C-alpha cells in the first residue's frame, strides 16, 4: 500500500488492491508470472528440470491460458526425491547462492520430518507479506492496539505481522501452562485480536479461566477477532469459543505459497491474488473443476524468488470460488476440506478423519479430540484408530468400548481402538496440529 | 518512549514467575548493536549458522541475537525450546553444520533423551553451545564444553568462552546481588525501568556485568503461575 493509512472506520486497508476487477487481477498475475517464471527456470534446478522434461520454456507462456495448458506440475514427492536423490537439502528450489541466505526455517513436520525452508530477509522488512495488514484490518484490528500472540516460534516471528501493522504484540507461549498469564494479560492490555487458537489451546484457556477464577466473557470482552489455524477446531472447542462471545476467523496457508483469512462475512477464506496464483483441479487429473466445487489446490507463487513453487500440487482438497465476496473484496476465496489421501475405505465406504472426530471427542476421557486413523492401505478390512485419552489406566477398557461404540453409532463400522495418553499424540504435533493419518 | 507503539509485551522471570515486560523499538534496535559485538566475539560472522531455541515470550531476548546474526552475515534458524521440538533441534544440528546454538534448556535435553538421541554426539561438532542453567550441567556431565547462556531477568548473559562467566552487555545493564540472587539495572532508557530488579538467577558476581550461575542456578517457580 502507498500513502497514508485509511481512517479507522474504513472498510478496507487498501481498497484499490482489495477490490480490483477480475481483469485487473489477471493482468497483474500475468505481469508477475512474466517475471517469476524466467527467474525460476534460470535458477531453480527442479523447475528447470520439470519444464525441460515437458519441453516448455517460459517464453512459451504469453497468457494465463498458456500457463494453465502447458506449465508442468511439481509436488511434494518430486521435491522430496530431488532432495534425497541429489543430496540437495533445498529440494532443487533454491534460486540464490547459500551465501545470500539470512535465515533457514523449517516446515511444521506434520506429515513427515520437518523440511528446510531457506529465506533471504532484508534487515528492515523481515519475512512479513504486506497482504497480512489487509487481513488484520479486515478482521477489525487497528494500528495502536494490542494483538495477543499465542504461537510457537519455529515458523519465524509471527509477531512481525502486528508490528508491521502498527500494533503491539503481547507474547504468550504456545503452552497450556501459560494460559493463566494469557488471562491476566488479556485483562491488563485489552487486546483486540488473538492469533492463534487450536482445540488444545481453547480448552487450556477455558481451564485457566476456571482455575484462576476469571470470567471468560470478561477475559475475551475486548477481542474483535480470534484467529484459528492449524486444523479445524473440534465441536467441543467451537462451542467453548462461541460461549466467549468473540468472533472467530479461520486462517490457513494456501499451498505453501500464500495465506488466507476469513473476512467478517465468514464465507470462505480470502487469499491475495497479488502474490498467489491458485488453481483448483481434479485431484486425479489436470482438469479444472467448476467454480465452488471440491478439487486439489495447485499454487504458484508470484513473488517468492528465493524458493519459487510453480504449479505446486498441494494435496490439499478445497473448494475455491472467484465470485466476489459480499464484503466487497474481489480476490478468490477457499474452503479447506481435507488432505488428498487421508481417506480410508472400509466396507466400501470412504472414511475421513473429519468423520471420526465427533465420535472421539464425545467420550469424556478423549475430549481433546486427539486421534489418528491408521491407514496401512487405501482399503482396509477394519477401521483402526489410535486415540488419545486423559484417564487412569484402570478405566481403559471402558473408554475403549465407549469410543468404539460412538464410532459405530456415527459411521456404522466397529473400529479397532488403541488408546494412548494424550501427551503421546501431542508430542507428534508441531504443536498446533497432529498428523491425523498414520501408516502404522 | 520513541513515538512508536511498543515493540512488544514480552516476559521475563523474576524468580516468582513470568512477569510482563513492555519493550520499545528503540531498545530492541539498540540491543542489536550489542548483540552483533557479542556474536562476532563468538565467531558468528559471515557464513556462520546459528540456531536459536526459545519460546515466544522470550522473543525480546532472542530477536536481537537473530537479527545480529543476520547483520553479521550469518544465517539463523529457529526451534521451540520445548520437549516436543527436540526433533527439530536435532534436525538442524544434523543438517546445517551449525556454528552455534543458543538457548539449550532442560526441556530440549529431555526431548532428546526421549528420542534416544545422545546430545553429547548431537552437539559435539558445534563450536558454541549456549545452555541455560540446568542444561549446562547436564551437557558438561556428558563431556561437552558449553557456554553459559542465561536469561537474567530482561537481560541476556552469554559467556565469551566455555566455563567463563555469563556476561550481559555492559553498556545496557549493570548487575548486583542480594545474597546469591542476581539483580539487574538498566543503564540506557527503556520502556520499563529496572533498578536492582530481582531475577530468577542465583549465582556469584565476578564484576558488574558478569556472574557464574550456581549449580542448577535458576530459582524454581510453579510452572504457569504469574
Amino acid at each position: 500500500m502507498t500513502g497514508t493509512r485509511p481512517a479507522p472506520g474504513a472498510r478496507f486497508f487498501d481498497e484499490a488492491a482489495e477490490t480490483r476487477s477480475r481483469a485487473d487481477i489477471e493482468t497483474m498475475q500475468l505481469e508477475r508470472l512474466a517475471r517469476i517464471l524466467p527467474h525460476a527456470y534460470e535458477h531453480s534446478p527442479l523447475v528447470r528440470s520439470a519444464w525441460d522434461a515437458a519441453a516448455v520454456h517460459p517464453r512459451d507462456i504469453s497468457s494465463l491460458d498458456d500457463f494453465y495448458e502447458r506449465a508442468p506440475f511439481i509436488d511434494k514427492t518430486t521435491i522430496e526425491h530431488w532432495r534425497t536423490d541429489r543430496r540437495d537439502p533445498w529440494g532443487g528450489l533454491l534460486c540464490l547462492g547459500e551465501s545470500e541466505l539470512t535465515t533457514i526455517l523449517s516446515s511444521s513436520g506434520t506429515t513427515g520430518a520437518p523440511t528446510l525452508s531457506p529465506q533471504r530477509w532484508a534487515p528492515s522488512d523481515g519475512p512479513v507479506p504486506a497482504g497480512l495488514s489487509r487481513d488484520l484490518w479486515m478482521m477489525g484490528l487497528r494500528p495502536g492496539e494490542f494483538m495477543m500472540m499465542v504461537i510457537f516460534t519455529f515458523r519465524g516471528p509471527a509477531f512481525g505481522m502486528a508490528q508491521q501493522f502498527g500494533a503491539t504484540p503481547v507474547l504468550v507461549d504456545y503452552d497450556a501452562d501459560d494460559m493463566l498469564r494469557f488471562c491476566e494479560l488479556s485483562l491488563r492490555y485489552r487486546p483486540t485480536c488473538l492469533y492463534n487458537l487450536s482445540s488444545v489451546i481453547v480448552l487450556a484457556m477455558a481451564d485457566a479461566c476456571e482455575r484462576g477464577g476469571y470470567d471468560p466473557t470478561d477475559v475475551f470482552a475486548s477481542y474483535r477477532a480470534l484467529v484459528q489455524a492449524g486444523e479445524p477446531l473440534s465441536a467441543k472447542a467451537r462451542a467453548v469459543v462461541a460461549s466467549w462471545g468473540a468472533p472467530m476467523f479461520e486462517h490457513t496457508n494456501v499451498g505453501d505459497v500464500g495465506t488466507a483469512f476469513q473476512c467478517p462475512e465468514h464465507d470462505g477464506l480470502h487469499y491475495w491474488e497479488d502474490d498467489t496464483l491458485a488453481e483448483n483441479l481434479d485431484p486425479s487429473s489436470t482438469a479444472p473443476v467448476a467454480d465452488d466445487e471440491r478439487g486439489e489446490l495447485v499454487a504458484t507463487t508470484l513473488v517468492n524468488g528465493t524458493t519459487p513453487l510453480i504449479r505446486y500440487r498441494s494435496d490439499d482438497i478445497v473448494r475455491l470460488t472467484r465470485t466476489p465476496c459480499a464484503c466487497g473484496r474481489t480476490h478468490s476465496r477457499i474452503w479447506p476440506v481435507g488432505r488428498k489421501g487421508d481417506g480410508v475405505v472400509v466396507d466400501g465406504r470412504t472414511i475421513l478423519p473429519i468423520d471420526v472426530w465427533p465420535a472421539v471427542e464425545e467420550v469424556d476421557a478423549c475430549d481433546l479430540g486427539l486421534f489418528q486413523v491408521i491407514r496401512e492401505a487405501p482399503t482396509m478390512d477394519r477401521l483402526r484408530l489410535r486415540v488419545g485419552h486423559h484417564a487412569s489406566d484402570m478405566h481403559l477398557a471402558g473408554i475403549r468400548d465407549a469410543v468404539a461404540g460412538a464410532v459405530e453409532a456415527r459411521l456404522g463400522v466397529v473400529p479397532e481402538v488403541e488408546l494412548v495418553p494424550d501427551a503421546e499424540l501431542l508430542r507428534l504435533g508441531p504443536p498446533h496440529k497432529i498428523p491425523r493419518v498414520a501408516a502404522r | 518512549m520513541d513515538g512508536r507503539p511498543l515493540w512488544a509485551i514480552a516476559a521475563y522471570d523474576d524468580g516468582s514467575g513470568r512477569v510482563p515486560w513492555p519493550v520499545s523499538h528503540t531498545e530492541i534496535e539498540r540491543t542489536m548493536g550489542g548483540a552483533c559485538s557479542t556474536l562476532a566475539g563468538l565467531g558468528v560472522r559471515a557464513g556462520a549458522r546459528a540456531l536459536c531455541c526459545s519460546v515466544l515470550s522470550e522473543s525480546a531476548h532472542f530477536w536481537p541475537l537473530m537479527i545480529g546474526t543476520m547483520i553479521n552475515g550469518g544465517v539463523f534458524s529457529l526451534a521451540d525450546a520445548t520437549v516436543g521440538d527436540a526433533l527439530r533441534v536435532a534436525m538442524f544440528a544434523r543438517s546445517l553444520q551449525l556454528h552455534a546454538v543458543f538457548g539449550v534448556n532442560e526441556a530440549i535435553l529431555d526431548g532428546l533423551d526421549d528420542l534416544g538421541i545422545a546430545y553429547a554426539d548431537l552437539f559435539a561438532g558445534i563450536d558454541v553451545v549456549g545452555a541455560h542453567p540446568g542444561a549446562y550441567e547436564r551437557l558438561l556431565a556428558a563431556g561437552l564444553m558449553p557456554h553459559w547462556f542465561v536469561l537474567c531477568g530482561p537481560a541476556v548473559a552469554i559467556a565469551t568462552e566455555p566455563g567463563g562467566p555469563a556476561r550481559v552487555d555492559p553498556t545496557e545493564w549493570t548487575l548486583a546481588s542480594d545474597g546469591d540472587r542476581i539483580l539487574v539495572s538498566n543503564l540506557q532508557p527503556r520502556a520499563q525501568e529496572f533498578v536492582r530488579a530481582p531475577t530468577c538467577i542465583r549465582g556469584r558476581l565476578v564484576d558488574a556485568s558478569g556472574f557464574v550461575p550456581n549449580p542448577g542456578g535458576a530459582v524454581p517457580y510453579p510452572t504457569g503461575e504469574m
Side-chain angles (χ1 to χ4, degrees):
Chain A
M1 182 189 177
T2 57
T4 57
R5 287 197 174 111
R11 193 170 174 188
F12 303 105
F13 181 77
D14 186 347
E15 182 167 2
E18 293 172 50
T19 62
R20 287 178 195 275
S21 69
R22 175 56 42 191
D24 280 353
I25 288 173
E26 292 183 350
T27 298
M28 176 186 58
Q29 289 181 320
L30 186 59
E31 288 169 1
R32 293 189 174 188
L33 266 185
R35 286 200 296 269
I36 198 82
L37 292 181
H39 171 81
Y41 181 82
E42 181 70 24
H43 299 288
S44 159
L46 176 64
V47 170
R48 189 182 193 102
S49 169
W51 284 57
D52 285 350
V56 183
H57 190 278
R59 65 175 165 265
D60 299 330
I61 308 298
S62 56
S63 69
L64 289 181
D65 284 343
D66 286 342
F67 181 73
Y68 297 143
E69 285 166 18
R70 305 195 62 180
F73 298 99
I74 55 176
D75 60 23
K76 186 169 280 190
T77 303
T78 321
I79 297 169
E80 188 54 38
H81 282 170
W82 193 282
R83 186 176 286 122
T84 53
D85 295 350
R86 302 174 191 241
R87 297 179 182 277
D88 174 356
W90 323 116
L93 289 168
L94 184 62
C95 288
L96 305 175
E98 290 191 13
S99 63
E100 297 178 82
L101 297 177
T102 58
T103 314
I104 301 172
L105 301 180
S106 54
S107 67
S108 64
T110 313
T111 55
T115 55
L116 300 175
S117 171
Q119 302 179 6
R120 175 170 178 77
W121 299 1
S124 60
D125 59 19
V128 183
L132 282 172
S133 290
R134 301 178 199 163
D135 298 312
L136 295 177
W137 186 279
M138 177 170 81
M139 293 185 291
L141 183 67
R142 292 293 177 268
E145 296 179 342
F146 288 96
M147 179 174 179
M148 178 65 73
M149 306 295 300
V150 185
I151 190 73
F152 31 79
T153 70
F154 70 86
R155 293 301 290 267
F159 53 81
M161 75 170 99
Q163 293 165 336
Q164 185 180 69
F165 184 72
T168 296
V170 182
L171 308 176
V172 170
D173 300 339
Y174 199 81
D175 179 346
D177 286 338
D178 213 21
M179 292 306 112
L180 279 173
R181 224 167 59 80
F182 162 80
C183 295
E184 165 66 21
L185 292 168
S186 293
L187 293 169
R188 183 182 300 195
Y189 292 101
R190 288 303 188 186
T192 52
C193 182
L194 184 158
Y195 183 92
N196 75 346
L197 294 176
S198 67
S199 295
V200 172
I201 287 295
V202 166
L203 300 181
M205 287 173 172
D207 179 61
C209 286
E210 191 173 325
R211 282 187 292 123
Y214 298 107
D215 176 356
T217 57
D218 190 16
V219 168
F220 288 92
S222 60
Y223 287 101
R224 296 185 205 115
L226 308 176
V227 179
Q228 175 266 315
E231 63 182 4
L233 289 191
S234 67
K236 179 175 179 175
R238 280 185 178 277
V240 169
V241 173
S243 75
W244 292 338
M248 189 174 74
F249 294 77
E250 292 180 25
H251 163 51
T252 190
N253 93 51
V254 182
D256 292 340
V257 164
T259 59
F261 287 82
Q262 278 184 327
C263 69
E265 295 293 327
H266 292 91
D267 186 18
L269 285 69
H270 289 273
Y271 63 91
W272 300 113
E273 295 187 74
D274 343 31
D275 57 30
T276 302
L277 175 61
E279 304 166 71
N280 201 20
L281 305 184
D282 183 318
S284 55
S285 77
T286 60
V289 301
D291 193 80
D292 210 20
E293 293 295 319
R294 282 188 181 187
E296 181 184 0
L297 178 70
V298 177
T300 296
T301 182
L302 297 172
V303 293
N304 179 353
T306 303
T307 51
L309 287 171
I310 307 292
R311 279 205 120 184
Y312 176 64
R313 297 201 73 130
S314 68
D315 284 347
D316 290 329
I317 304 299
V318 301
R319 283 196 294 127
L320 186 156
T321 184
R322 304 200 190 284
T323 308
C325 180
C327 73
R329 292 171 182 86
T330 52
H331 293 246
S332 298
R333 289 167 286 154
I334 59 171
W335 290 258
V337 174
R339 295 277 295 171
K340 190 167 79 174
D342 272 4
V344 59
V345 178
V346 179
D347 284 345
R349 173 178 178 182
T350 299
I351 296 173
L352 291 164
I354 202 166
D355 301 320
V356 174
W357 206 317
V360 169
E361 66 179 3
E362 78 179 42
V363 177
D364 284 346
C366 307
D367 60 2
L368 288 182
L370 298 169
F371 69 92
Q372 294 182 306
V373 176
I374 309 303
R375 186 177 182 273
E376 294 167 322
T379 299
M380 293 175 60
D381 295 334
R382 195 158 191 203
L383 177 63
R384 289 187 56 204
L385 301 175
R386 179 176 296 126
V387 178
H389 73 90
H390 46 82
S392 66
D393 288 349
M394 61 184 294
H395 297 117
L396 292 189
I399 294 167
R400 194 177 294 114
D401 290 346
V403 171
V407 172
E408 183 182 14
R410 286 180 177 268
L411 302 180
V413 299
V414 180
E416 184 180 313
V417 177
E418 173 197 358
L419 290 175
V420 297
D422 284 337
E424 191 170 312
L425 290 179
L426 283 171
R427 196 164 288 185
L428 301 174
H432 59 316
K433 54 186 176 180
I434 64 167
R436 292 293 175 178
V437 177
R440 63 181 71 86
Chain B
M1 70 183 258
D2 58 13
R4 290 176 282 179
L6 288 167
W7 184 84
I9 307 298
Y12 71 93
D13 291 348
D14 70 356
S16 62
R18 298 186 68 69
V19 294
W21 173 26
V23 185
S24 69
H25 283 269
T26 297
E27 62 199 90
I28 284 288
E29 289 157 3
R30 201 178 57 227
T31 307
M32 287 175 193
C36 287
S37 300
T38 301
L39 291 163
L42 293 169
V44 181
R45 300 191 185 94
R49 290 172 173 169
L51 171 64
C52 291
C53 306
S54 66
V55 291
L56 190 72
S57 64
E58 297 170 344
S59 297
H61 296 95
F62 278 84
W63 185 245
L65 292 171
M66 298 174 201
I67 300 302
T69 298
M70 196 170 95
I71 292 170
N72 281 1
V75 179
F76 73 89
S77 297
L78 305 177
D80 281 69
T82 60
V83 171
D85 225 28
L87 181 62
R88 191 179 314 279
V89 174
M91 182 274 290
F92 278 125
R94 286 168 171 161
S95 59
L96 285 189
Q97 293 182 300
L98 295 172
H99 173 75
V101 55
F102 297 114
V104 177
N105 65 0
E106 291 205 86
I108 291 171
L109 299 187
D110 289 345
L112 294 174
D113 286 342
D114 290 348
L115 293 167
I117 296 172
Y119 37 85
D121 295 338
L122 187 71
F123 295 130
I126 300 174
D127 286 356
V128 180
V129 180
H132 292 277
Y136 179 94
E137 293 86 344
R138 286 168 65 176
L139 293 174
L140 206 60
L144 292 162
M145 299 279 283
H147 287 58
W148 285 113
F149 180 93
V150 186
L151 302 188
C152 183
V156 179
I158 308 176
T160 56
E161 59 188 353
R167 293 201 168 276
V168 298
D169 181 343
T171 66
E172 290 284 340
W173 306 102
T174 186
L175 303 177
S177 65
D178 177 9
D180 63 356
R181 172 77 61 94
I182 305 296
L183 311 175
V184 63
S185 304
N186 59 299
L187 297 172
Q188 304 287 341
R190 288 182 170 266
Q192 178 178 332
E193 295 293 315
F194 297 91
V195 181
R196 293 175 58 86
T199 73
C200 67
I201 301 301
R202 294 184 187 279
R204 174 178 55 83
L205 277 185
V206 296
D207 55 37
S209 64
F211 63 95
V212 177
N214 288 348
V219 178
Y221 66 90
T223 302
E225 296 191 1
M226 299 283 293

